[in-house]
Amino acid sequence: KNEVEQSPQNLTAQEGEFITINCSYSVGISALHWLQQHPGGGIVSLFMLSSGKKKHGRLIATINIQEKHSSLHITASHPRDSAVYICAGLTQGGSEKLVFGKGTKLTVNP
Amino acid sequence: GAGVSQSPSNKVTEKGKDVELRCDPISGHTALYWYRQSLGQGLEFLIYFQGNSAPDKSGLPSDRFSAERTGGSVSTLTIQRTQQEDSAVYLCASSSQGLFWETQYFGPGTRLLVL
């Protein structure tokens, strides 16, 4: 069964702190999406990666294929980063589809 | 340019009624995806279209759910004989070439409540 697990479920930080959100996935997942869901519900795709590391502004995503683990880092966190961050695995073999983690709710306090 | 739009934004219906949810993807985008987010639950993949074709319908929760896409543009998700467990936010996304590893652009969702 293709599975994606995220941790922590909830995370509270002070403005300026370095944030790490983790995602572990099972065999059968070939790549990962990181998504951001704003408090109003809108979803934005942040990264798609199958190897290595990607950076966009203060956001960095890494993936370790051998360990089947990905991390999303936020440097110099800001209250506007408060959102739910969702990891989604792309299944391989047969029909492709995305399998979602349950999300990490991040709250950054001023 | 315009993003992905969905209508209606909210829908309240009675158990047993049929509902139709609409998605207008970004112009020129080949692929269109439907997802569901139930209260307190994570996102769930339902179906995707490459052009007008849906290669895999196994993600649809039951045979009461169907989806179609015409003209490579607008898509409709239909739920027949709605049940209370169908209450959720239904999200649509599109991407330019129909590859799952592309960036997907999400619509605002349709919040469905079945009474």
Side-chain angles (χ1 to χ4, degrees), chain B residues 52-65:
Chain B
N52 291 333
S53 173
D56 181 6
K57 299 181 180 180
S58 64
L60 295 174
S62 75
D63 58 9
R64 297 185 294 104
F65 287 72

Side-chain angles (χ1 to χ4, degrees), chain B residues 5-11 18-24 34-35 46 65-68 74-79 86 88-92 109-113:
Chain B
S5 62
Q6 293 185 245
S7 61
S9 54
N10 290 281
K11 176 72 177 179
D18 297 352
V19 295
E20 209 169 80
L21 312 180
R22 177 186 167 108
C23 173
D24 278 275
W34 283 101
Y35 301 97
L46 298 179
F65 287 72
S66 62
E68 66 175 15
V74 172
S75 176
T76 302
L77 178 69
T78 301
I79 309 173
D86 299 334
V89 177
Y90 289 82
L91 292 152
C92 172
T110 292
R111 191 175 301 272
L112 175 66
L113 178 62

Side-chain angles (χ1 to χ4, degrees), chain A:
Chain A
K1 181 180 176 184
N2 298 311
E3 291 184 337
V4 173
E5 293 189 5
Q6 287 184 240
S7 64
Q9 186 175 356
N10 291 282
L11 182 56
T12 301
Q14 288 301 122
E15 183 172 357
E17 287 185 359
F18 181 82
I19 304 292
T20 296
I21 298 170
N22 297 299
C23 178
S24 297
Y25 57 93
S26 64
V27 171
I29 301 292
S30 62
L32 284 181
H33 272 286
W34 280 101
L35 308 170
Q36 179 192 53
Q37 186 166 28
H38 297 288
I43 295 178
V44 174
S45 177
L46 298 175
F47 297 105
M48 180 65 183
L49 66 168
S50 57
S51 65
K53 174 180 172 179
K54 288 189 176 179
K55 185 176 188 292
H56 182 71
R58 295 180 294 105
L59 301 177
I60 304 166
T62 63
I63 190 168
N64 184 315
I65 303 298
Q66 287 72 33
E67 295 184 4
K68 296 183 179 52
H69 181 268
S70 176
S71 293
L72 177 68
H73 305 286
I74 305 174
T75 61
S77 60
H78 190 276
R80 65 175 175 266
D81 297 326
S82 298
V84 176
Y85 292 84
I86 302 167
C87 170
L90 175 62
T91 61
Q92 62 183 7
S95 298
E96 288 184 324
K97 65 177 184 179
L98 289 180
V99 179
F100 293 88
K102 293 189 183 302
T104 295
K105 183 176 181 181
L106 172 65
T107 302
V108 182
N109 295 316

